[in-house]
Amino acid sequence: MSDDARLSLVPVRSREAREFVRAWHRHHPPPAGQVFAVGAADDQGTLRAVAIVGRPVARHLDNGTTLEVTRTASDGTRNTNSLLYGASWRAAKALGYRRLITYTQEGESGASLRGAGWRVIASRPPRAGWHTASRPRAGHGNDHVARSLWEAT
């Protein structure tokens, strides 16, 4: 896609968003659930990126007025993630939510988030993993990685 091609926001059904994440995300599988998803398509209608927004993963942030962008995935088309982060915040506000958050992993620049007007509000230390004796879980290759918590402004 050329750099001057126009991107448009498009609705994306849950199954299509999950399939796109499965095909294009670098290190995470699709999330288990969502509140909504939004996509970016080129002039020919080809889906170039998706954002999936759901309830916060951290239980203490799941207060009924906060949502989390749980995944974004792109085929590499420029500016798609910034477009989707901005659209996700506008949509969340239109639905009555007061806060939208997301995380980046150590080594990710956050340029798309800064481009959409988001800001870092906290740093999270690396986690040993999600597996516990009471709730066994398989790792996805991203344990032991520090993260930054971002908030839409």
Side-chain angles (χ1 to χ4, degrees), residues 11 20 100 132:
F20 195 93
L100 184 61
T132 63

Side-chain angles (χ1 to χ4, degrees), residues 5 12 27 65 72-73 101 106 141:
V12 181
H27 49 261
T65 62
T72 61
I101 60 170
E106 182 176 60

Side-chain angles (χ1 to χ4, degrees), residues 79-144:
N79 302 318
T80 54
N81 281 338
S82 291
L83 176 71
L84 294 176
Y85 280 122
S88 295
W89 179 222
R90 291 188 305 275
K93 285 190 296 186
L95 292 169
Y97 292 92
R98 293 190 204 114
R99 186 175 188 212
L100 184 61
I101 60 170
T102 198
Y103 294 88
T104 55
Q105 292 188 356
E106 182 176 60
E108 295 176 332
S109 73
S112 295
L113 289 156
R114 280 192 304 281
W118 292 50
R119 64 186 170 103
V120 174
I121 59 169
S123 295
R124 299 289 189 240
R127 232 187 118 88
W130 291 94
H131 175 78
T132 63
S134 64
R135 191 168 181 185
R137 298 184 188 174
H140 296 291
N142 56 355
D143 297 336
H144 309 287

